[in-house]
């Protein structure tokens, strides 16, 4: 408890090496709360500062915590082609409103190896014509890969944008069999 008698939010984190580079994984007691691409020291430090500010607790490195150990194992299986979905508790506290609604819809209705258009996803949450807002929700996704924003593409056939970079999106889609493997 803190000095005001409230329970402090415990935030633990670890960096995991993956087929798309290092990922920062962060978790609370509720579940995995954040996945950050390209977790170099600088990116990691900025992400941890943001988490501390948003969650009110200084994140502690603890790769051996049960939730992070399980998340690491599931990420390893996913990148080895042995896992098609993640089975982890999630903490949705970093996202709310329309963005949360869209991300939850994405997480529950767009399985491994499939894609959905921005406009189609907007229609699924009762907001046809809100394709741009869906794009903004994808950019605000605190749990990429697990909440598979890489599976959201343009209706014209383009792959659209991606917070982790277009090469990362291509690699994730290739891993899932949606795109061919890069030649080099």
């Amino acid at each position: 408890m803190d000095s005001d008698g409230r329970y402090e939010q415990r935030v633990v984190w670890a960096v995991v090496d993956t087929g798309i580079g290092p990922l920062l994984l962060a978790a609370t007691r509720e579940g995995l709360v954040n996945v950050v691409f390209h977790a170099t020291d600088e990116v990691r430090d900025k992400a941890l500062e943001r988490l501390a500010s948003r969650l009110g607790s200084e994140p502690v490195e603890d790769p051996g915590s049960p939730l992070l150990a399980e998340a690491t194992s599931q990420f390893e299986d996913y990148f080895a082609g042995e896992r098609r979905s993640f089975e982890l508790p999630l903490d949705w506290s970093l996202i709310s409103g329309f963005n949360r609604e869209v991300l939850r819809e994405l997480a529950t209705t767009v399985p491994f190896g499939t894609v959905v258009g921005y406009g189609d996803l907007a229609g699924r949450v009762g907001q046809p014509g809100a394709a741009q807002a869906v794009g903004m929700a994808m950019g605000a996704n605190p749990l990429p890969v697990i909440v598979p924003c890489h599976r959201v593409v343009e209706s014209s056939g383009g792959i659209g944008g991606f917070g982790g970079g277009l090469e990362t999106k291509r690699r994730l889609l290739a891993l899932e069999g949606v795109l061919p493997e890069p030649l080099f």
Side-chain angles (χ1 to χ4, degrees), residues 6 38 51 75 94-95 106 108 119 123 125-126 157-158 163 171 173 180:
R6 296 176 299 189
H38 314 298
L51 281 171
F75 269 100
L94 295 179
I95 198 101
L106 172 64
T108 58
V125 295
R171 292 181 72 180
L173 291 172

Side-chain angles (χ1 to χ4, degrees), residues 4 10 14 18 55 61-62 76 78-79 88 106 110 116-117 124-125 128 130 135-136 150-151 154 179 183:
D4 297 324
R10 178 165 158 77
T18 71
L55 298 175
E61 185 174 16
D62 188 1
E76 288 169 354
Y78 172 80
F79 284 105
L88 298 165
L106 172 64
V110 183
V116 64
R124 290 182 186 189
V125 295
M136 297 297 285
H150 60 279
R151 297 180 189 152
E154 296 174 350
L179 292 176
L183 297 176

Side-chain angles (χ1 to χ4, degrees), residues 4-104:
D4 297 324
R6 296 176 299 189
Y7 285 97
E8 288 187 57
Q9 174 78 281
R10 178 165 158 77
V11 182
V12 294
W13 65 273
V15 173
V16 179
D17 288 322
T18 71
I20 56 170
L23 295 178
L24 169 72
L25 307 180
T28 66
R29 287 182 180 93
E30 300 297 315
L32 202 63
V33 72
N34 203 198
V35 176
V36 179
F37 291 113
H38 314 298
T40 60
D41 290 348
E42 182 180 345
V43 169
R44 179 201 65 213
D45 292 347
K46 286 181 183 178
L48 293 173
E49 285 176 26
R50 279 193 310 274
L51 281 171
S53 173
R54 296 278 310 272
L55 298 175
S57 178
E58 195 66 35
V60 175
E61 185 174 16
D62 188 1
S65 76
L67 180 56
L68 290 179
E70 180 59 26
T72 297
S73 175
Q74 289 190 29
F75 269 100
E76 288 169 354
D77 291 348
Y78 172 80
F79 284 105
E82 299 167 0
R83 172 173 287 279
R84 297 171 69 91
S85 64
F86 291 89
E87 298 167 12
L88 298 165
L90 302 178
D91 178 338
W92 293 88
S93 64
L94 295 179
I95 198 101
S96 62
F98 177 80
N99 290 355
R100 183 187 288 192
E101 183 180 3
V102 168
L103 292 170
R104 282 183 181 265

Side-chain angles (χ1 to χ4, degrees), residues 140-152:
N141 182 4
L143 295 162
V145 183
I146 292 174
V147 177
C149 52
H150 60 279
R151 297 180 189 152
V152 183

